[in-house]
Amino acid sequence: MPQDATGRNLCRMSKLDAKAPTLAAQAMGWVDPLTKAVVPPIHPATTFIRDPDNQYRAGHSYARAENPTYDHAQKLLAALEGGAGCLTFASGMAAATTVFQILKPGDHVVAPNVMYWGLRRWLTTFGRERGLQVDLVDASDLDAIAAALRPGATKMVWIETPANPTWPITDIAGAAELAHGAGARLAVDSTVATPVLTRPLALGADLVMHSATKYLNGHSDVVAGALVTAQSDDFWHKVATLRHNGGAILGSFEAWLLLRGLRTLYLRVERACRTAEHLAARLTAHPAIAAVLYPGLPEHPGHAVAARQMQGGFGGMLSIRVQGGEQAAIATAAKVRIWKRATSLGGVESLIEHRASVEGPGTPAPPDLLRLSVGIEDPDDLLDDLDQALGP
Ligand SMILES: Cc1ncc(COP(=O)(O)O)c(C=O)c1O
């Protein structure tokens, strides 16, 4: 619980007092003890005063170790994910790669062959160069995960669900059981699902990772990452120490913007889900579209698992495969007027991108695939714009 200089709790509402959307909307129910302001301040301070008896009773010494602005965002994220602790980072990649830097040379890692391409590339280049044994598998198939596990040697099973850019689904509870049976941890990149739709720790995962650049902040104006842990164990203390010593921290202003963005998380994600469902259903019948990839569609191979482990929607991300192949897909992306032709996802504005152009050689993204990140605009504006862009 964040505290002021006299040790009083800054949060007037504990985890037990309210449900997650309320905690988010009210930044944990925070009220400034001096001014009664309802908006938390930014603390740009890099250093904090020691008490006369040489202690740091307020819990802050130097901002690379602990910063009241990111502490507040971390408390809220830990509460939303139901975790024992949260650490924010300078980016999603900083958060994810910190996990792998805790592992030792020779440790074995199982990761998906369909996942955020930047992390897949890091694992298969830097990760392998540092001695990690990395196996990429079809993580939508629990048998494939089981076959890849090397009991005793496998230290981390990493999954992403729904996963970029074709949105396969991994059964989190099943993957957790397999990982634990082999003596490994399960980490889940839950960037696309967000705590609004899925709480991986409640399903048995050990760690949740977010590119907070995406839905958590939601306004395409902050690069940030977060890890949330099920347990405050030795591994977690190493993660905290590495962040502290390595310095991949979130700046005060970014942390403040993240906390501000989190306050509307539930509304934004719910709206994006409804619109994505509407678009997926309508685009399936479009003559210029060969396939719609969306876990909310009954024909999606991961639909049954998604329906079980995602509550309240299937997310705001979908992909379309355009009739006519790569050139037709690129031409479609060039013709949109309302969708923004840009990378990233999870912002209030809808984005469209030809994913294979971003990921380059070796991508699992089909060449005719356009990735759609659905924002909060009017659903019919988005549909009409795609319709005109797909037209002759
Ligand atoms: C699913 C997913 N995970 C991780 C990342 C990396 O996050 P960041 O760009 O904040 O470093 C991204 C970024 O696109 C992502 O989409």
Side-chain angles (χ1 to χ4, degrees), residues 91-93 116 160 164 189 191 209 211 213-214 224 345:
S91 68
M93 280 297 286
Y116 171 59
E160 178 181 324
N164 273 284
D189 181 339
T191 298
M209 175 260 160
S211 167
T213 315
K214 311 299 188 313
L345 61 95

Side-chain angles (χ1 to χ4, degrees), residues 43-127:
H43 290 276
T46 55
T47 192
F48 301 82
I49 302 286
R50 243 184 224 278
D51 294 328
D53 60 356
N54 219 29
Q55 305 297 307
Y56 279 115
R57 272 201 197 71
H60 303 106
S61 58
Y62 183 60
R64 177 155 41 75
E66 64 281 302
N67 172 332
T69 315
Y70 67 60
D71 285 353
H72 199 143
Q74 290 174 176
K75 290 283 176 193
L76 176 55
L77 270 172
L80 300 185
E81 288 287 4
C86 169
L87 291 165
T88 50
F89 289 82
S91 68
M93 280 297 286
T97 57
T98 297
V99 170
F100 293 108
Q101 287 173 66
I102 305 297
L103 303 185
K104 296 192 174 57
D107 284 351
H108 180 237
V109 170
V110 177
N113 46 27
V114 176
M115 67 186 293
Y116 171 59
W117 73 289
L119 185 57
R120 186 179 60 233
R121 190 179 55 178
W122 189 95
L123 282 170
T124 54
T125 53
F126 289 102

